[in-house]
Amino acid sequence: MEPLAQLCLAAAAFLATHFVSSTPLRGALAGALGEKAYLGVYSLAAFATLGWMIWAYGKAPVEPLWPGLRLLPAILMPFAFVLLACGLLSVNPTAVGAARHLRGQDPARGIIRVTRHPMMWGFMLWSGAHLLARGELKATIFFGTFLVLAMVGALLIDRRKAQTLGADWKHFADVTSYFPFAAIIGGRNRLATEEIGWRNPAIGLALYAVFFWFHPLFFSARPY
């Protein structure tokens, strides 16, 4: 099978692996295998399909679709890394096991006031910037897979939380937004830079600097 066809199949399998957790099939599999065994199989399938995608991407031919916007990642990736760092290092009620934080009077603090899915938006910026920068068919499939995963995955998280958490989630959703700054612009929340602080954004920018400098070594491609 041609590498490009394998890339398409691997991308489809990668998405299916991740989206199964938002379908009734997850409960059936967890019930049949046990929760720990299910998580083990899920993780193994996710890493296997990701590895398949990376291999197929490296083997697939370059087929240009448009002139790549080469400077776009250098512009957008600082924001992506800041969102990733702030999302990872802050309390987020949408995270697994963090639903208890929904019960406070002010459940959205720091970066969550900007968007309730900072990490997903970090991945969206990363994948979208690289998709547009490469301008190739294989890059569109590869990075487009992560873009779809982050965009749709965030919506599925919202739907699942709304179904399982009821009034607590409704209160949280009323004062936050899927799209960055939408709740703030709409007057449902405010920007509190003092809650975000400087540490997490600084960590994000430091990681950006490391990846920018070592990009040719890590990925055999210049970042600009």
Side-chain angles (χ1 to χ4, degrees):
M1 184 183 296
E2 292 294 326
L4 191 61
Q6 291 206 44
L7 178 59
C8 292
L9 285 176
F14 183 76
L15 289 175
T17 298
H18 284 77
F19 288 155
V20 71
S21 62
S22 298
T23 69
L25 185 59
R26 185 210 185 279
L29 290 173
L33 300 174
E35 187 66 25
K36 290 185 178 180
Y38 165 78
L39 291 175
V41 172
Y42 171 85
S43 300
L44 181 62
F47 279 111
T49 52
L50 176 60
W52 187 14
M53 281 180 62
I54 294 172
W55 176 87
Y57 176 80
K59 295 293 184 179
V62 175
E63 299 181 23
L65 298 176
W66 62 79
L69 305 176
R70 296 289 298 175
L71 292 178
L72 192 60
I75 297 170
L76 293 183
M77 287 308 294
F79 299 100
F81 272 102
V82 167
L83 285 169
L84 287 169
C86 289
L88 183 63
L89 300 174
S90 302
V91 174
N92 188 345
T94 68
V96 176
R100 66 185 184 279
H101 296 292
L102 292 172
R103 301 186 185 99
Q105 291 185 344
D106 193 9
R109 296 181 59 80
I111 196 66
I112 308 304
R113 297 183 187 273
V114 177
T115 172
R116 58 179 171 264
H117 297 293
M119 289 188 64
M120 291 297 196
W121 276 98
F123 282 116
M124 284 186 234
L125 288 179
W126 165 74
S127 54
H130 283 76
L131 187 158
L132 294 173
R134 300 297 298 179
E136 303 165 1
L137 178 58
K138 68 175 185 177
T140 301
I141 298 169
F142 184 83
F143 292 108
T145 298
F146 293 99
L147 183 60
V148 169
L149 177 62
M151 291 175 64
V152 179
L155 293 173
L156 291 176
I157 289 172
D158 285 356
R159 187 182 71 174
R160 186 170 67 250
K161 297 290 186 180
Q163 291 172 345
T164 57
L165 299 175
D168 287 339
W169 178 260
K170 184 180 185 306
H171 172 56
F172 177 69
D174 285 344
V175 297
T176 58
S177 58
Y178 174 89
F179 292 101
F181 296 103
I184 295 172
I185 294 172
R188 295 182 287 116
N189 213 315
R190 62 185 178 87
L191 180 63
T193 56
E194 71 280 4
E195 293 177 1
I196 297 173
W198 61 268
R199 186 199 66 173
N200 294 347
I203 290 173
L205 292 176
L207 288 172
Y208 165 73
V210 170
F211 273 85
F212 184 89
W213 186 262
F214 291 102
H215 200 278
L217 178 62
F218 293 160
F219 309 107
S220 300
R222 293 191 309 166
Y224 54 86

